[in-house]
Amino acid sequence: MKAEDILEKRKAQWSKLEECLARKRVGIRKSPWTSEQVLEFSELYRSACTDLALAQAYRLPPQTVDYLHNLVGRAHNHLYRSQKYDISSWWNIMFRDAPQQIFRDPCVHVATLLFFGLFFLSALIAWNPQMFPDFETRVLKEAQIQQLEENFAEEIGTQGNFDRYVTMAGFYIRHNTGIGLQCFGYGPLILPTLYTLIYNAVILGTSFGYMARSDVDAGKNFFEFVTAHGPFELSAIALSAGAGLRLGLGMLATAGFTRLASFKIQARRALPVISASGALFILAAFTEGFISPSPLPYALKAFWAIMSSTAMMFYFVVLGAPRESNS
Amino acid sequence: MERVWHNGFEEIDDQRRGTERPVGVQQRISLRAMGMLKSAKLDTSVTIVTPENIEFSYRLAGPFRRLGAFLVDLLIKIVFLIVLSIFAGFAGLFATIGAGLTSFILLVTSFLLDWFYGMIWETMWSGQTPGKRVFSLRVISCDGRPINGVQAAIRNLLRVADLGVPASIQIFSPEAPPGYIFPTFTVGLIAMTITKRFQRIGDLAADTMVIVEERAWQPVLFKIDDARAAALAEFIPADFVVPLSMAKALSLYVAKRSKLPLLRRQELAKHLADPLISKFGFMSDTSPDLMLCALYLHAFYSSSQQKTGPRHSLSPFKKTVSQGDSSQVVLAAVETIPSQSSNGIWDVMAQPPTSDPTGHSQAERIL
């Protein structure tokens, strides 16, 4: 048997397999494939596999072998797929693994302390102009402070200002969630994560502290705007920075693994934390989109903030407390 | 059928790596790392072992091909945003929605595109974004399976690290307004050069790699128009089996020869053809190029020899090896046994080819 005969014999089946590949992928639900087609496809795939395995025995030319590698590879990708999102495993990740991991992960502790510590510290300093004059102008530029005051100069909820506050909600969703995701994404490099975290903690803290001064008129509107979504958003930033630090730590502290293996392991460990952080970001975004710029009374927004803080407290502490079974 | 198939594989595998059966690519890699496997080709390809116990290889995608895909995706994102803002502008013009709401939608969309574009496409198209599809790239797990949503999420969220270190335009001209920050790809490039599979940091964390998944081409046998080659091929002794490496060299040569000038062809072909010409006892002024074409025909095409029976009278080997009729029988046996057995394996394993409506034209293409 020479290559010519084999090609002649097999070509028809290979081109049939090509036709199958041109169709949509095999699906589990709502599959566009009939059962006969699936059977035919798997049969064709297996025989192409056999051809590839025996290519050496058949003495096929290298171009044909390349073609077979390609064909089998594409058919393999067409046929096999891993589960995309399994609901039950996600429930476990979100409500069992994530809080436990967050509760005992030192990286999360460090990131949270760093973020909220600097946030409150700079807020306190900026709030007290008698003891620390000019602090806010050193951190923020004069123009930025003016911009901030201007943004919140008008009352939330009156008809004319609705547009302005909705735009701002969009801007802050983009900006703050971006900061959080950057903290995670820069994680493997560690330093950019720390820089982003510290920088934004100081900036945000200073803005909050400045706005809390009694002589700043825009302060009332500012706090009315940020109260509802603040708890979700700030916690989410701290959490994602914690997950990012965990990634970076995997590169440094390898605990006996190779550097690469340790990195992969820590990435798996960071996954529940970043998922929880993602969920918080989504909650924050919805709050920011629908509640913060709305003309609802301030009491309701404050109530929402208290409820969300309580829910997070429950999530982190009660669900996160170490369990007998886990240890 | 099933049994023969499996046994065949066990034999092939056992020859290569002792008695160990392959469990998966993970094991192979660790074996390779320990130096137990013979050194892998220094090549940009990666081998996968499927559940069917088949090994096949993928070509890995290098940084520049991936840069192309990245730029196409970037372009798509920008165009989408522009189109959306035009629509939003019209909607604002006819006052169906307020200006605040349009800018809210634009801001949120640009944020979503920034962070979730790759993640969503790669989950939906199992490892491809439109840009990757244009450059026929695909992200797969290092064990060869398609990626899942979690892997897509990790590798896309970590992209910022790979795009780093960000540089600002202010570095070059201090008067430039702030905010023009562009990626330098430094971290990703460094990671790609020091890892085995061109993995960037996101790939390392998610345990994925990017492969080239080219569209199909024809499993060609090259046609040789020169009738003299076919005639010469008839004179190559039928018992001459072209070794595997020579077959490879022959088909690479034939694939390239049409692009080479005649003198260059002769120069290249000489090294392989001349010893064979003297071995077969052909005329010494036989063109080396023609000789290799004839060998190619001999190696891959079933010649008239096989159809009409072996023509041993033409074999120069016969004179040196044999003196009488008895050895002629031996030679005939040697030649026919392998072809018979391969016929046998073939018939056991493969299904008979089904009737093909375009069979005729395909046969022509093969030839």
Side-chain angles (χ1 to χ4, degrees):
Chain A
M1 278 289 257
K2 291 281 174 83
E4 182 197 6
D5 307 315
I6 290 157
L7 280 181
E8 211 163 326
K9 217 168 176 177
R10 308 297 300 148
K11 187 69 199 297
Q13 296 208 332
W14 294 343
S15 51
K16 259 193 178 170
L17 186 55
E18 294 274 3
E19 279 167 31
C20 291
L21 290 180
R23 263 181 270 157
K24 267 188 168 174
R25 290 164 58 90
V26 186
I28 306 159
R29 285 181 225 114
K30 285 200 300 179
S31 173
W33 295 48
T34 64
S35 52
E36 289 83 19
Q37 281 175 320
V38 174
L39 272 179
E40 190 200 13
F41 174 62
S42 59
E43 234 162 59
L44 289 170
Y45 168 59
R46 276 199 296 271
S47 67
C49 284
T50 317
D51 292 335
L52 177 59
L54 293 174
Q56 201 160 351
Y58 289 162
R59 301 176 155 270
L60 295 181
Q63 287 87 2
T64 313
V65 177
D66 283 350
Y67 169 77
L68 276 177
H69 273 296
N70 174 281
L71 184 67
V72 169
R74 281 185 303 138
H76 177 267
N77 278 346
H78 217 65
L79 186 64
Y80 289 98
R81 66 161 93 201
S82 30
Q83 280 181 315
K84 284 194 171 132
Y85 295 108
D86 182 12
I87 302 292
S88 69
S89 80
W90 273 102
W91 177 267
N92 274 342
I93 286 180
M94 288 306 296
F95 291 100
R96 219 193 53 211
D97 298 352
Q100 304 253 322
Q101 175 76 29
I102 290 164
F103 192 84
R104 64 195 146 112
D105 192 341
C107 290
V108 174
H109 301 167
V110 168
T112 313
L113 274 180
L114 205 59
F115 183 72
F116 282 108
L118 284 172
F119 175 80
F120 283 118
L121 190 68
S122 43
L124 203 64
I125 293 172
W127 175 67
N128 197 336
Q130 282 83 40
M131 285 179 73
F132 307 97
D134 290 345
F135 176 75
E136 75 279 358
T137 46
R138 284 173 200 218
V139 176
L140 300 166
K141 288 197 188 83
E142 199 72 54
Q144 273 177 305
I145 295 175
Q146 272 175 11
Q147 177 72 36
L148 199 64
E149 278 192 70
E150 207 175 292
N151 277 346
F152 291 97
E154 291 163 74
E155 215 168 313
I156 300 175
T158 53
Q159 194 55 45
N161 302 324
F162 181 69
D163 276 356
R164 157 182 289 242
Y165 279 101
V166 166
T167 309
M168 255 165 25
F171 173 77
Y172 282 117
I173 286 174
R174 184 183 153 181
H175 182 250
N176 294 350
T177 316
I179 289 172
L181 293 178
Q182 260 178 22
C183 282
F184 177 70
Y186 279 131
L189 312 177
I190 301 180
L191 284 181
T193 293
L194 287 177
Y195 171 77
T196 314
L197 189 69
I198 291 169
Y199 177 82
N200 286 295
V202 172
I203 294 282
L204 283 174
T206 309
S207 317
F208 271 65
Y210 178 76
M211 284 299 188
R213 284 187 199 168
S214 52
D215 59 334
V216 177
D217 295 331
K220 183 182 154 291
N221 296 327
F222 175 81
F223 280 103
E224 191 176 339
F225 183 71
V226 297
T227 304
H229 63 262
F232 279 140
E233 204 163 72
L234 297 182
S235 321
I237 290 177
L239 276 188
S240 70
L245 284 184
R246 164 110 346 251
L247 281 180
L249 199 70
M251 291 268 208
L252 290 185
T254 56
F257 292 99
T258 62
R259 213 163 283 282
L260 201 59
S262 150
F263 182 52
K264 277 180 206 165
I265 291 168
Q266 299 302 344
R268 292 272 172 280
R269 277 184 71 186
L271 187 69
V273 183
I274 191 64
S275 321
S277 157
L280 290 186
F281 272 126
I282 292 169
L283 285 173
F286 273 106
T287 312
E288 205 164 349
F290 294 111
I291 297 179
S292 298
S294 73
L296 290 173
Y298 181 68
L300 254 170
K301 292 180 184 174
F303 176 71
W304 178 261
I306 292 166
M307 285 311 292
S308 59
S309 306
T310 318
M312 279 195 297
M313 210 67 101
F314 178 81
Y315 182 74
F316 293 138
V317 178
V318 178
L319 290 181
R323 303 278 162 85
E324 288 293 317
S325 58
N326 268 34
S327 60
Chain B
M1 172 178 167
E2 200 71 358
R3 216 175 56 79
V4 174
W5 193 81
H6 270 297
N7 285 344
F9 273 108
E10 272 157 29
E11 268 170 36
I12 293 170
D13 276 319
D14 291 353
Q15 276 171 10
R16 208 182 9 240
R17 61 187 89 135
T19 51
E20 284 200 70
R21 297 281 312 279
V23 182
V25 77
Q26 216 56 39
Q27 188 196 356
R28 306 201 67 226
I29 286 164
S30 61
L31 284 174
R32 187 168 288 164
M34 290 187 292
M36 286 170 72
L37 268 180
K38 273 187 184 169
S39 61
K41 271 193 287 183
L42 187 65
D43 211 354
T44 52
S45 67
V46 63
T47 308
I48 304 279
V49 182
T50 72
E52 286 80 18
N53 219 349
I54 299 285
E55 266 183 21
F56 63 92
S57 58
Y58 279 126
R59 209 144 67 77
L60 287 167
F64 294 101
R65 197 159 180 153
R66 290 169 67 170
L67 179 69
F70 175 83
L71 291 178
V72 169
D73 282 332
L74 189 66
L75 195 71
I76 290 174
K77 284 186 236 179
I78 291 170
V79 168
F80 182 81
L81 267 184
I82 289 173
V83 169
L84 190 73
S85 52
I86 290 171
F87 266 108
F90 274 118
L93 218 61
F94 297 115
T96 41
I97 51 173
L101 213 53
T102 50
S103 55
F104 177 81
I105 289 169
L106 279 178
L107 283 165
V108 171
T109 313
S110 74
F111 162 72
L112 291 177
L113 281 179
D114 258 4
W115 287 96
F116 300 101
Y117 174 89
M119 192 190 296
I120 289 167
W121 278 116
E122 282 173 17
T123 312
M124 269 178 14
W125 275 359
S126 53
Q128 285 189 315
T129 60
K132 287 197 174 70
R133 191 163 268 204
V134 168
F135 283 81
S136 42
L137 302 177
R138 190 188 283 278
V139 187
I140 59 171
S141 293
C142 283
D143 58 5
R145 286 177 305 170
I147 61 167
N148 54 31
V150 175
Q151 285 173 311
I154 290 182
R155 74 184 295 283
N156 281 295
L157 284 181
L158 293 189
R159 176 168 293 120
V160 276
D162 285 303
L163 293 184
V165 183
S168 164
I169 262 181
Q170 283 175 317
I171 296 172
F172 304 107
S173 66
E175 303 91 58
Y180 289 91
I181 290 170
F182 56 91
T184 57
F185 303 97
T186 324
V187 176
L189 270 177
I190 291 173
M192 276 183 179
T193 35
I194 59 178
T195 50
K196 257 186 292 185
R197 282 170 270 188
F198 290 134
Q199 288 167 298
R200 60 179 178 83
I201 285 178
D203 286 323
L204 290 175
D207 204 20
T208 56
M209 58 189 173
V210 182
I211 51 137
V212 180
E213 196 191 55
E214 265 145 347
R215 299 278 112 195
W217 62 90
Q218 292 298 320
V220 276
L221 269 185
F222 294 100
K223 216 153 96 176
I224 290 170
D225 293 322
D226 201 336
R228 290 174 304 161
L232 189 63
E234 295 286 295
F235 288 92
I236 294 173
D239 54 344
F240 177 72
V241 178
V242 177
L244 215 62
S245 55
M246 196 197 287
K248 211 169 181 177
L250 282 174
S251 46
L252 290 178
Y253 174 73
V254 171
K256 284 277 181 323
R257 75 183 269 275
S258 61
K259 293 183 189 117
L260 299 171
L262 188 65
L263 277 176
R264 194 66 60 211
R265 279 191 226 169
Q266 309 289 33
E267 188 185 342
L268 274 175
K270 202 172 60 190
H271 302 288
L272 181 58
D274 281 351
L276 286 171
I277 287 173
S278 59
K279 188 175 177 185
F280 294 147
F282 291 154
M283 308 263 280
S284 58
D285 62 346
T286 312
S287 153
D289 178 46
L290 198 64
M291 180 66 208
L292 289 197
C293 289
L295 267 174
Y296 182 80
L297 289 178
H298 176 77
F300 296 120
Y301 283 88
S302 51
S303 59
S304 56
Q305 287 174 16
Q306 285 195 329
K307 282 158 196 162
T308 58
R311 287 156 63 175
H312 287 283
S313 55
L314 291 169
S315 169
F317 288 164
K318 203 187 73 187
K319 289 164 210 149
T320 57
V321 174
S322 67
Q323 248 103 53
D325 284 348
S326 60
S327 57
Q328 213 169 12
V329 174
V330 172
L331 262 181
V334 165
E335 196 238 334
T336 47
I337 282 168
S339 72
Q340 253 181 8
S341 67
S342 74
N343 253 332
I345 292 173
W346 178 263
D347 290 337
V348 172
M349 287 180 207
Q351 291 138 8
T354 42
S355 66
D356 183 24
T358 58
H360 181 62
S361 65
Q362 268 165 358
E364 272 183 351
R365 231 182 291 149
I366 290 167
L367 290 166

